[in-house]
Amino acid sequence: MPDPSPAALMGERRRLINLAYRLLGSLSEAEDVVQETYVRWYAMSRERQEAVESVGGWLTTVATRICLNLLGSARARREQYVGHWIPEPLPEPTERLDEPSGAATGDPADRVTLDESVNMAFLVVLEAMTPAERVAFVLHDVFRYPFAEVAGIVGRSPAACRQLASSARRRLRDARPSSGRVPADRAAGIVKDFKQAWEAKDIGALIGLLDPAVTAVGDGGGRVTALPYPVEGGEQVARFLVGIATRVPDLTLVERTVNGRPGLLAQHAGATVAVYAFDVADGRVTHIWGVLNPEKLRQWTT
C-alpha cells in the first residue's frame, strides 16, 4: 500500500468526528477520541503502518474501540452527574455565534453532519442503549458498515452484532414511534408559536401547544441551577416556563436549529445561558430538553 499522505489521513477526520459524536453524545469527547486515534497511528512504526490494508478502516476500528471503552465508564460517571445528563447540543455551522452570518466556520473537518441521526430525541434514545447496542446500531444502521465489519471492530460475531442492532431498533421504535411525527418546517412553526407564547407568559397558549403528557428536563451539570427532576404534564410545564420568564424578565429567546431540528437559544444580558431542543408529534411538543451546563454550550458562545 502506498504511504498515506497527511492529507489522506486527515481526510478521515470528519467521518471519525461524526461517528464518535453519535456514539458519545459529546463533541468535546469525540474530538478527544479522534485525537487519540491519530496519536496511536503516528506512534506505530513505519513497518506496522505499511502492514495496514485500509487506513480508514484502521482509524475507524481504533476510534470505535476507544468510544466503546468510554461508553462503559460513562455510565458510572453519569450516575454521579448532578441532575439529568443531556447530549451536547450542536448548532448549524452558519448559526455559530463566533462567526459572521453565513460565514464558513472553523475547520470543516470538525463539523458534524446534522441529519436525523443527531437530533436530540434520537441521541437521548441512544443513551438508554447498552454500549454494545449503541455501537452496533450506529455502525450498521447509520454508517452502513456490514455486520461482518462491525463484528471485526467490536470483537463479536456477525450474528451477535445483528441481534444487538435489532435490539437497538426496537428501543428506538418503542421510544419514538414514527406515527405522528411532523416535518421540520411544521415543527419550526410550532416552536415559533411556543416562543411567542412563552415570551407573552400565556399559560393557556402554552398548554395548547404542549402535549398533555409532555416532559421537560434540564441539564445544569451542577454548575448552574436546573431542576433535578423532570417536569411532566402540559399545565405543569407551562407554569414552570412562565415562572422562568417571570423570574428573568429580560430573557431573550432566539429561534435556532438545534441538532438539525427547530429549537431555541436563551440569552441573558447578551450571554447564551441555555439551548432548548424539542420533539414534536401530532402538532404538539412532546419533549423539551434544556441544556444550561456552560461546558456544553461552547459551540453557542463567543
Side-chain angles (χ1 to χ4, degrees):
M1 184 192 70
D3 181 34
S5 66
L9 281 167
M10 296 309 293
E12 298 287 335
R13 179 177 170 81
R14 180 174 182 177
R15 183 176 55 82
L16 296 174
I17 289 282
N18 272 272
L19 172 63
Y21 174 74
R22 285 162 176 79
L23 291 177
L24 300 174
S26 167
L27 184 59
S28 58
E29 289 185 355
E31 291 168 340
D32 290 343
V33 164
V34 174
Q35 180 177 344
E36 174 63 19
T37 300
Y38 282 108
V39 166
R40 294 188 186 187
W41 169 264
Y42 285 110
M44 290 196 304
S45 66
R46 177 66 176 272
E47 290 75 17
R48 291 183 61 192
Q49 290 177 352
E50 291 176 346
V52 173
E53 294 183 3
S54 168
V55 174
W58 187 95
L59 294 171
T60 298
T61 298
V62 172
T64 302
R65 288 176 178 172
I66 296 173
C67 288
L68 194 54
N69 290 335
L70 285 175
L71 285 171
S73 61
R75 283 180 171 266
R77 294 199 312 272
R78 288 166 193 173
E79 287 176 359
Q80 301 172 352
Y81 192 82
V82 179
H84 285 267
W85 191 94
I86 298 175
E88 181 181 343
L90 297 181
E92 289 278 12
T94 57
E95 291 183 351
R96 298 192 185 190
L97 300 184
D98 55 353
E99 296 286 348
S101 175
T105 57
D107 182 351
D110 291 337
R111 298 181 200 160
V112 173
T113 304
L114 300 182
D115 58 23
E116 203 53 26
S117 69
V118 293
N119 71 58
M120 191 61 71
F122 185 92
L123 292 177
V124 168
V125 177
L126 289 184
E127 283 296 315
M129 298 179 184
T130 68
E133 283 177 336
R134 186 167 183 167
V135 169
F137 174 78
V138 170
L139 283 175
H140 180 267
D141 285 44
V142 178
F143 286 86
R144 302 303 181 188
Y145 282 84
F147 282 118
E149 291 187 34
V150 176
I153 292 173
V154 302
R156 302 199 183 199
S157 70
C161 291
R162 187 174 286 105
Q163 289 182 334
L164 288 168
S166 178
S167 174
R169 286 186 215 107
R170 283 195 300 271
R171 287 179 182 263
L172 194 63
R173 285 194 299 268
D174 291 344
R176 302 193 68 216
S178 58
S179 61
R181 292 187 61 209
V182 302
D185 56 347
R186 187 179 173 201
I190 294 170
V191 170
K192 182 181 183 67
D193 292 341
F194 176 92
K195 167 184 175 290
Q196 293 173 345
W198 190 1
E199 291 173 331
K201 304 176 190 175
D202 188 336
I203 291 179
L206 283 170
I207 292 174
L209 292 165
L210 296 170
D211 186 90
V214 64
T215 299
V217 295
D219 178 351
R223 295 180 175 272
V224 298
T225 302
L227 280 179
Y229 53 85
V231 181
E232 300 177 338
E235 182 175 350
Q236 290 81 355
V237 171
R239 293 190 180 280
F240 171 71
L241 293 170
V242 169
I244 294 176
T246 301
R247 290 193 304 272
V248 191
D250 54 348
L251 189 70
T252 301
L253 299 174
V254 183
E255 294 171 59
R256 291 286 190 227
T257 302
V258 181
N259 284 59
R261 299 286 292 180
L264 293 175
L265 182 73
Q267 296 179 321
H268 181 251
T272 298
V273 296
V275 171
Y276 293 93
F278 301 86
D279 200 21
V280 179
D282 295 320
R284 291 190 173 188
V285 175
T286 58
H287 290 86
I288 303 172
W289 296 277
V291 180
L292 296 83
N293 185 345
E295 290 187 353
K296 296 184 178 182
L297 299 179
R298 63 192 182 95
Q299 296 293 319
W300 302 83
T301 58
T302 55

